[in-house]
Amino acid sequence: MAGNKDTKSKSESIYSQLLRSIILITISATTALFIFSTIIFLNFFYQRQLSASNQKLELIYKQLEYYLSSIQHYSRLMVTNPQIQQNMVEYYQNKSISNNYAKINMGIELYRIAQPVPYIYSASIYDKSYKIVVTSEKTPFKTKFPENQLTYGKWFITRKHKYDSKESIVTLSYLYPFYNYRSSDLMGYMELTISENSIRQIYPTKDSSDEQYLILDNENKIFSKSFSEDFDSKMLVNNSNKSHYFKYGNFINTYTFSPLNFKLVHIIPAYTYIMPALTFSTMFFIVTLICIIISIFISRRVAKNITKPIYKLIDHTQSVKKGEWSTMQNEVSNADMRLLISEFNDMIKAQKSLQESIINSEKEKNKIQMRFINEQIKPHFLYNTLDNIYSLAELDEKEILLKLVLNLSKFYRSTLSFGKAFISIKEELDNLEAYLNIMSIRYIDKFNYNIQRNTNLDKYKCPKLLLQPIAENAIQHGIIPKFGTSNVGISHIEVSVFENDSDIIFQIKDDGVVINDIELTHILKYSASNKNFALRHINQMLKFYYGDEYGIEIISNKGCTVKLKIKKEKLDENSSS
């Protein structure tokens, strides 16, 4: 009973966690879908409204541009009219037009040319000092023009009287200088105006009553607007230099009218954007809630079907933990669980094979160590050293003989080191120093050496006989081959050890012969003809102990430099390894 109760409590725990996870995933997914869809919809509607607004402003732009180009055309047409040219010549000859008939003729010509154009509000001719000669205005409005003479046509914002009253209205005037086409002398100026009311009529139809249009002049003052209420143009100031933006609850889109450096402005209330989005969001939110409720009912059934075989697998795992390494019956219908149980059974079967593999790996590790040690304790090194001892004894070189025997004893004591695979860095450097002392006696006056120790690293561990084979390789293959050359001098071996955050690097550098590039690329690779057994096995040993990022690096330039990188680890003095 107790076992069944424990299983039940486990079942409830896994079931509740799985059910909660499924519900959370469903809610997260639907919420993310809701947010993502809303953002897409808002962006779509925003771009759609912006495109529609741009089209309306472009329509205003083109119509206004047509008005301006037409006014410029009619100005040139009037100033080249022979009747007007002749009347202006008579004006300057008589200093005035006293003949009402001539004045009437000039007015008729202005009327004949301008009358068919409905958006031309008035036409006036000025002399060179901006004094009105003739005008179509019933009551001329005194307009201030620039004191300097104009040499080209220019637009001005002006005011004119209404036809039926003395009230003034805003107009856009084009002042164009004209010349005597015979003498090329300046005769005066032609002024054609467009009323703000005519410009207002080119605004497109509004989609809503609160939608408005404005035209701002080059000083950001309102020149024309589609509504009669007062409006402060400072509300349209935008420091971000964007052409469209939200401000004061409105979407504001601007379009630069380049011929006059005016701004065409379209103002749309922000709620026209919000209302469709709210409608869409509300509908989608309701659908999301329905999906979540349905998913809770479905999740309960799914969680129950998934967790049932999991409990069986947990119970069987407890049996394996007690030592019963038996496979589990695979009779579930769920393909994923069937695969999981199959993999579990394969894992059980693989345990003995894995154990055997670990044992074989340890055997191979020990074999590599023994082969490495055997390679280091070379009989010919001992025989040659004993021959040197015998020769020194015959020559009665007691001091050198004593030094040689002590270093040989020190070297072999450290080499054997009671079967340990790892020794301290201090011991390894002492062993290397003993070896180099022996070799410097054997090859007296052929080379010298220097070992730069770092006392902070003395108690860190390294593999035994790590440096001696490298030093031997430097002497045998780098320094000895130089003996036959002339003016070779005394060679030098430099040994140093340093650290970084997690590693220790040994460096052995000699000034012997240079290794060619081909040999350098193959020196650490296995081949029947490769005699660098020690280097290759040291590299293999370091990778075995520390990983593939560790090993030997060889650089050959003015001699040879060998770098060995090991992991920084303290030596456990109580360990037998």
Side-chain angles (χ1 to χ4, degrees):
M1 283 296 291
N4 292 335
K5 189 174 181 180
D6 291 342
T7 303
K8 185 176 180 181
S9 63
K10 293 177 184 177
S11 173
E12 289 175 353
S13 176
I14 296 174
Y15 173 83
S16 61
Q17 290 179 13
L18 183 59
L19 179 61
R20 184 165 55 252
S21 299
I22 294 175
I23 293 174
L24 287 175
I25 291 172
T26 303
I27 293 175
S28 300
T30 51
T31 303
L33 180 61
F34 169 75
I35 295 173
F36 182 73
S37 301
T38 303
I39 292 174
I40 291 177
F41 177 80
L42 286 175
N43 183 65
F44 168 77
F45 192 80
Y46 174 82
Q47 295 298 331
R48 181 181 174 185
Q49 289 291 85
L50 178 61
S51 177
S53 176
N54 284 336
Q55 290 178 359
K56 292 179 179 180
L57 292 180
E58 285 177 1
L59 182 63
I60 297 174
Y61 186 106
K62 292 179 180 179
Q63 187 64 35
L64 187 57
E65 187 178 44
Y66 169 75
Y67 278 7
L68 299 188
S69 61
S70 297
I71 291 294
Q72 292 170 348
H73 169 73
Y74 283 112
S75 295
R76 290 190 292 269
L77 188 64
M78 289 180 180
V79 299
T80 57
N81 182 275
Q83 184 66 45
I84 294 176
Q85 284 273 330
Q86 179 62 33
N87 289 335
M88 287 303 296
V89 170
E90 293 176 1
Y91 170 80
Y92 283 108
Q93 288 176 351
N94 301 323
K95 302 299 181 182
S96 65
I97 300 180
S98 58
N99 189 341
N100 288 333
Y101 180 77
K103 187 174 182 179
I104 291 171
N105 286 340
M106 188 179 295
I108 290 172
E109 288 300 319
L110 291 179
Y111 180 82
R112 183 181 65 82
I113 297 174
Q115 190 273 337
V117 185
Y119 49 84
I120 294 180
Y121 183 77
S122 67
S124 303
I125 296 178
Y126 298 83
D127 63 11
K128 291 185 287 187
S129 59
Y130 298 108
K131 179 181 178 181
I132 294 179
V133 177
V134 63
T135 181
S136 63
E137 296 176 63
K138 185 176 181 181
T139 306
F141 195 97
K142 188 176 181 181
T143 304
K144 291 184 179 181
F145 290 113
E147 296 179 359
N148 298 329
Q149 292 182 348
L150 294 178
T151 58
Y152 55 90
K154 190 173 182 180
W155 289 93
F156 299 89
I157 295 177
T158 57
R159 301 191 71 87
K160 301 293 181 182
H161 287 296
K162 288 185 177 181
Y163 290 131
D164 54 354
S165 68
K166 290 187 178 181
E167 294 180 3
S168 64
I169 60 171
V170 178
T171 58
L172 186 62
S173 297
Y174 181 70
L175 194 64
Y176 185 76
F178 68 97
Y179 301 84
N180 189 318
Y181 55 72
R182 291 191 181 127
S183 63
S184 299
D185 294 332
L186 179 66
M187 300 181 66
Y189 300 93
M190 172 64 65
E191 180 195 28
L192 294 181
T193 62
I194 307 173
S195 69
E196 187 271 336
N197 184 56
S198 297
I199 294 175
R200 193 186 309 164
Q201 293 175 2
I202 67 176
Y203 295 148
T205 304
K206 299 178 182 179
D207 294 333
S208 68
S209 58
D210 294 329
E211 185 178 354
Q212 306 294 350
Y213 297 94
L214 295 170
I215 297 179
L216 304 181
D217 62 15
N218 51 14
E219 295 179 356
N220 284 330
K221 295 179 180 179
I222 297 176
F223 164 66
S224 174
K225 57 185 180 179
S226 61
F227 52 93
S228 58
E229 295 82 6
D230 292 335
F231 188 87
D232 188 2
S233 61
K234 293 181 180 179
M235 295 176 62
L236 302 175
V237 175
N238 178 34
N239 296 326
S240 64
N241 294 324
K242 291 183 178 180
S243 61
H244 49 274
Y245 50 93
F246 284 93
K247 194 169 185 179
Y248 300 114
N250 293 311
F251 172 74
I252 300 172
N253 188 25
T254 62
Y255 208 98
T256 300
F257 184 69
S258 54
L260 299 178
N261 198 25
F262 283 9
K263 280 187 179 179
L264 311 180
V265 183
H266 188 195
I267 302 176
I268 307 172
Y271 69 82
T272 59
Y273 285 81
I274 295 174
M275 289 303 296
L278 287 177
T279 303
F280 173 83
S281 300
T282 303
M283 293 177 59
F284 197 86
F285 181 74
I286 294 172
V287 173
T288 301
L289 286 179
I290 295 174
C291 291
I292 290 174
I293 294 172
I294 294 173
S295 69
I296 291 175
F297 288 101
I298 297 176
S299 298
R300 291 173 60 88
R301 186 60 179 265
V302 171
K304 185 175 181 180
N305 291 335
I306 292 176
T307 55
K308 186 176 180 180
I310 293 177
Y311 304 144
K312 292 183 179 180
L313 181 59
I314 292 174
D315 291 338
H316 193 82
T317 303
Q318 296 299 321
S319 300
V320 172
K321 184 178 179 181
K322 295 176 182 179
E324 299 175 8
W325 289 84
S326 60
T327 58
M328 179 180 175
Q329 292 184 352
N330 196 353
E331 297 178 350
V332 297
S333 59
N334 185 282
D336 294 329
M337 284 303 304
R338 188 164 59 248
L339 177 61
L340 178 61
I341 294 173
S342 176
E343 293 294 330
F344 175 80
N345 291 335
D346 291 341
M347 181 187 68
I348 297 297
K349 295 176 183 178
Q351 292 308 304
K352 290 184 179 179
S353 175
L354 180 61
Q355 292 175 359
E356 292 175 358
S357 175
I358 293 173
I359 293 173
N360 292 334
S361 176
E362 288 296 323
K363 289 180 180 179
E364 183 65 22
K365 177 181 177 181
N366 294 332
K367 187 184 295 184
I368 290 174
Q369 291 177 355
M370 292 305 299
R371 288 179 64 188
F372 182 71
I373 293 172
N374 291 336
E375 175 65 20
Q376 310 314 314
I377 309 175
K378 293 183 178 178
H380 69 82
F381 168 68
L382 177 61
Y383 297 154
N384 291 335
T385 306
L386 292 175
D387 286 342
N388 289 339
I389 292 172
Y390 178 77
S391 299
L392 290 171
E394 282 187 335
L395 295 173
D396 199 23
E397 295 286 347
K398 294 180 181 179
E399 185 178 347
I400 300 176
L401 178 61
L402 181 61
K403 181 179 178 182
L404 184 60
V405 172
L406 289 175
N407 280 286
L408 182 63
S409 173
K410 185 177 181 181
F411 173 76
Y412 275 101
R413 187 183 300 112
S414 178
T415 299
L416 297 174
S417 61
F418 305 104
K420 293 182 179 180
F422 288 87
I423 60 176
S424 69
I425 290 179
K426 181 180 183 304
E427 292 173 323
E428 178 65 18
L429 292 176
D430 290 342
N431 177 46
L432 176 63
E433 186 175 12
Y435 173 77
L436 290 174
N437 280 332
I438 294 171
M439 298 306 291
S440 64
I441 293 173
R442 182 178 176 188
Y443 299 106
I444 191 167
D445 295 333
K446 297 297 184 181
F447 75 93
N448 54 34
Y449 68 90
N450 179 44
I451 299 178
Q452 298 181 7
R453 296 174 179 262
N454 186 342
T455 56
N456 294 329
L457 302 176
D458 282 350
K459 293 186 178 181
Y460 286 91
K461 71 177 182 179
C462 68
K464 181 177 61 178
L465 288 173
L466 178 67
L467 304 178
Q468 182 271 332
I470 308 299
E472 181 181 1
N473 189 77
I475 295 171
Q476 296 295 330
H477 301 288
I479 294 175
I480 293 177
K482 291 178 64 177
F483 290 173
T485 60
S486 60
N487 299 323
V488 67
I490 298 176
S491 298
H492 182 71
I493 296 176
E494 183 76 21
V495 180
S496 58
V497 55
F498 48 93
E499 63 178 321
N500 56 27
D501 292 339
S502 58
D503 301 323
I504 297 174
I505 295 112
F506 296 94
Q507 179 174 286
I508 300 177
K509 183 177 181 182
D510 66 75
D511 57 358
V513 297
V514 177
I515 305 173
N516 62 62
D517 293 340
I518 297 176
E519 185 178 355
L520 194 62
T521 57
H522 294 84
I523 197 167
L524 296 178
K525 296 180 180 178
Y526 176 81
S527 66
S529 60
N530 190 346
K531 298 180 179 180
N532 295 285
F533 176 85
L535 289 178
R536 189 171 69 252
H537 277 275
I538 289 175
N539 188 55
Q540 181 182 357
M541 178 185 65
L542 294 180
K543 293 183 182 299
F544 184 85
Y545 280 133
Y546 303 114
D548 291 338
E549 65 270 25
Y550 296 89
I552 292 178
E553 178 186 2
I554 302 175
I555 303 170
S556 185
N557 183 16
K558 296 182 180 180
C560 183
T561 301
V562 179
K563 293 183 179 180
L564 302 93
K565 184 170 74 170
I566 66 172
K567 190 176 293 185
K568 186 192 292 185
E569 296 175 337
K570 284 278 189 178
L571 179 65
D572 185 2
E573 296 180 356
N574 297 323
S575 176
S576 60
S577 62

